[in-house]
Amino acid sequence: MKYAIIAAGEGSRLAAEGIESPKPLVRVGGECLVDRLIRIFMQHDAEEIVCICNDRTPCVASHLTDLQRNGLYGHSVPLRLVVKSTPSSMHSFYEISPYLQDSPFVLTTVDTMFRESEFTQYIAAFRQCAGEALMGVTSYVDDERPLYVETDERMNVTAFLDRADHCRYISAGIYGLPPSAVQTVANCVARSEQRMRNFQRALLTDGLTVRAWAFSKVFDIDHASDIQKVEAFL
């Protein structure tokens, strides 16, 4: 299985709060965010990890290039690196999508924090979703602008909503996708859409079966206070 990491943001809110490292290199529990994801993906049979970072933070590109050459924690890493600044996460996804069109893959942003044991269960469930998407969701809301996920009794996703008091879940930013999703993101970019929530909606519009898998809690590292919060959670 392939995995993909969007690590192209600069972490401007973290920087404004005194965190000097660019977001991919922020340490949580003594481990860089990007290293944590790569390690977890390697533990889940990654045949290739595709990562995009921007060209404005050369220390991130240098760190990832070092991982390509020397591995991580003594293990080689099948890492494909794209260095390019993009206007949005959706455009970052689009830039790496040519490398993801031949097999199912899991995509996430670099600061998505989850329990590793739950991720193992999620991957096992995704392996059973032939030709379908499996979106990570959570009932824990710790997001300034959450995307609500409407589901039926079988955890099929019926809608992605900006506001919804009746929804139990929000998007956790963990996307298990079939190769057909590459065409969906290309169509979104062609329509000048930029937000990942519009990509998720387009999956439904394109007729893809999208299922939800519930994590207990998933955090994003957007503020300095999130670091301590996540360390306590993990």
Side-chain angles (χ1 to χ4, degrees):
M1 184 182 299
K2 290 189 177 183
Y3 295 85
I5 304 170
I6 296 174
E10 297 181 19
S12 56
R13 285 176 289 187
L14 287 169
E17 296 174 6
I19 303 298
E20 296 182 356
S21 298
K23 184 178 283 191
L25 302 184
V26 167
R27 290 184 175 272
V28 175
E31 187 173 33
C32 293
L33 293 178
V34 70
D35 290 359
R36 179 179 188 268
L37 280 181
I38 290 173
R39 172 180 58 78
I40 292 171
F41 293 164
M42 289 297 296
Q43 291 171 348
H44 292 85
D45 303 319
E47 61 182 87
E48 184 174 53
I49 300 171
V50 185
C51 183
I52 181 170
C53 66
N54 67 59
D55 56 15
R56 296 187 294 270
T57 50
C59 58
V60 175
S62 177
H63 177 82
L64 292 168
T65 299
D66 181 70
L67 293 185
Q68 282 182 313
R69 293 172 178 167
N70 301 311
L72 177 67
Y73 306 135
H75 300 282
S76 61
V77 177
L79 179 64
R80 182 187 294 271
L81 177 60
V82 175
V83 181
K84 184 174 183 178
S85 294
T86 61
S88 71
S89 292
M90 183 186 288
H91 283 82
S92 293
F93 177 22
Y94 174 71
E95 290 297 331
I96 60 177
S97 63
Y99 308 112
L100 302 169
Q101 56 188 350
D102 57 352
S103 67
F105 60 94
V106 173
L107 168 76
T108 187
T109 54
V110 74
D111 62 334
T112 303
M113 303 296 292
F114 46 79
R115 284 198 174 105
E116 295 181 39
S117 59
E118 294 181 349
F119 188 75
T120 297
Q121 297 173 56
Y122 166 78
I123 291 298
F126 180 50
R127 292 186 187 280
Q128 304 301 314
C129 293
E132 301 174 348
L134 187 66
M135 314 302 281
V137 300
T138 179
S139 57
Y140 177 74
V141 182
D142 187 46
D143 195 301
E144 295 166 356
R145 289 171 292 182
L147 175 64
Y148 293 90
V149 182
E150 182 182 79
T151 59
D152 64 17
E153 67 280 359
R154 300 181 61 187
M155 292 294 281
N156 293 307
V157 176
T158 55
F160 293 99
L161 306 167
D162 290 326
R163 299 181 63 87
D165 294 334
H166 66 284
C167 288
R168 178 180 180 183
Y169 299 111
I170 65 169
S171 174
I174 302 169
Y175 315 93
L177 299 167
S180 61
V182 168
Q183 186 59 55
T184 297
V185 74
N187 294 341
C188 287
V189 170
R191 294 192 295 266
S192 299
E193 296 175 353
Q194 296 196 17
R195 306 185 72 186
M196 283 297 288
R197 59 187 56 196
N198 290 332
F199 162 72
Q200 294 178 73
R201 291 169 176 141
L203 292 173
L204 296 176
T205 301
D206 287 351
L208 186 68
T209 297
V210 182
R211 302 187 188 278
W213 196 93
F215 287 77
S216 60
K217 292 182 179 181
V218 177
F219 295 83
D220 293 334
I221 305 294
D222 292 322
H223 300 282
S225 60
D226 293 333
I227 297 174
Q228 290 75 31
K229 188 187 304 182
V230 170
E231 287 180 337
F233 166 67
L234 296 177

